[in-house]
Amino acid sequence: MKFSEPTFEAKKFLVKQGFPESFEAAVILGSGLSGFTDSIDHPVKVPYHTIPHFPVTSVHGHDGMLISGKVRNKSVLIFSGRFHHYEGFPFSTTVLPIHIAKEFDANKVIISNAAGAVNSQFKVGDLMVIDDIFRLFQKISIKPSNTFRYNLYPVSERVRGIASSIGLDIQRGTYLYVKGPNYETKAEITAFQRLGVDVVGMSTAPELMEASRLKIPAAAISLVTNMAAGLSSGKLDHSEVKEAAESRKEDFAKLVTELIDQL
Ligand code: HPA
């Protein structure tokens, strides 16, 4: 199926750069997680700004690169850098990676993000598979009839099983989507705890919703880069995100590799 003219043109361009006609999996890398690209075989890297219809990202820690390569001999399309709504992009742009994955017939998408822990039992550096999403302040409208139909629970069960098969103990829980870019207040985090939220972040929910609408199987992993506002004495800024991502770089790469292979 040709999704639409812009994604079709982007694909045509990428195939000319050496990308294959289809991929087995697509991976979206969250803030600070672009180190995963080091573990890809035969990489072909194309900067976002050179691709027709791709906007330019501005967030520090996102390098804006689309990569084709192999992981355990499976062909993988990797988005290193994403498009956030808080950067001013409409939701229809935040889901561009899902549209491109669809254009290349990827049969699964693995989405990752940096998130703040709301659950006080969690620690910085924890990996969490997302069981469900919570959209509080934001109506995410991509298509008027886009209802989130995913039950992420069976997939997250499998992700946990795969993680434990390689000796990784990961959390599971609910991801609260906030627009950002400012972090939450202490009062908000206290309220979110009462609502049963486990982590909070500024991405992923639109992508999961769009994957659900387009019926592409998806799994999403959060890396806890900080305790949310009021849960630790440290200051909240982007350097924490980079530090935590650096500390779990290898485990994250192992997990994503295994998910590409086995999910
Ligand atoms: N809040 C929202 N988004 C985030 C956070 C946070 O504490 N950490 C990383 N992304």
Side-chain angles (χ1 to χ4, degrees):
M1 193 223 23
K2 297 298 158 245
F3 188 79
S4 67
E5 201 58 28
T7 54
F8 179 69
E9 281 175 12
K11 177 177 174 175
K12 222 166 68 183
F13 170 83
L14 290 163
V15 169
K16 272 198 204 134
Q17 310 301 306
F19 280 32
E21 292 281 342
S22 67
F23 287 94
E24 282 156 277
V27 178
I28 302 173
L29 295 173
S31 289
L33 295 170
S34 56
F36 175 71
T37 56
D38 297 342
S39 53
I40 302 161
D41 300 322
H42 315 297
V44 178
K45 302 189 177 190
V46 181
Y48 283 175
H49 71 265
T50 65
I51 306 171
H53 308 289
F54 263 58
V56 181
T57 56
S58 59
V59 184
H60 196 57
H62 284 254
D63 57 2
M65 194 72 84
L66 190 52
I67 301 148
S68 155
K70 294 262 182 178
V71 170
R72 297 240 179 101
N73 221 27
K74 296 213 153 84
S75 57
V76 193
L77 176 65
I78 295 164
F79 295 86
S80 183
R82 52 151 62 89
F83 311 104
H84 296 90
H85 188 52
Y86 68 71
E87 292 173 80
F89 294 120
F91 285 115
S92 53
T93 301
T94 65
V95 299
L96 180 64
I98 302 297
H99 293 174
I100 297 288
K102 177 87 181 168
E103 190 69 58
F104 277 99
D105 299 318
N107 43 35
K108 62 185 162 193
V109 183
I110 297 154
I111 303 172
S112 62
N113 60 61
V118 173
N119 184 330
S120 60
Q121 308 292 307
F122 286 8
K123 305 182 303 302
V124 171
D126 278 357
L127 291 164
M128 185 196 91
V129 57
I130 298 179
D131 273 343
D132 207 349
I133 54 172
F134 195 134
R135 297 153 295 168
L136 191 60
F137 296 134
Q138 200 65 55
K139 239 174 105 104
I140 301 174
S141 49
I142 302 162
K143 285 270 158 36
S145 63
N146 189 2
T147 309
F148 189 59
R149 292 185 205 286
Y150 265 180
N151 177 3
L152 287 166
Y153 211 77
V155 133
S156 67
E157 268 293 290
R158 290 185 48 220
V159 171
R160 294 238 309 177
I162 290 167
S164 89
S165 77
I166 53 165
L168 276 183
D169 196 16
I170 65 171
Q171 308 281 7
R172 67 184 319 157
T174 298
Y175 176 95
L176 173 81
Y177 171 78
V178 292
K179 181 182 171 198
N182 49 328
Y183 286 110
E184 303 67 39
T185 66
K186 288 185 205 170
E188 285 163 354
I189 296 300
T190 305
F192 298 159
Q193 287 181 318
R194 295 190 183 144
L195 294 171
V197 162
D198 295 293
V199 299
V200 58
M202 303 171 194
S203 66
T204 302
E207 291 118 302
L208 276 172
M209 288 176 66
E210 193 63 349
S212 145
R213 189 176 75 81
L214 296 173
K215 302 191 172 59
I216 310 174
I221 309 285
S222 293
L223 170 71
V224 173
T225 52
N226 58 280
M227 298 308 289
L231 299 185
S232 82
S233 48
K235 68 173 173 29
L236 281 179
D237 67 28
H238 205 75
S239 63
E240 265 191 317
V241 173
K242 284 184 22 198
E243 256 174 57
E246 190 60 32
S247 75
R248 292 307 300 275
K249 199 166 120 172
E250 274 146 39
D251 286 336
F252 175 77
K254 269 202 244 169
L255 178 61
V256 174
T257 300
E258 220 52 47
L259 294 178
I260 291 167
D261 199 21
Q262 292 192 42
L263 195 65

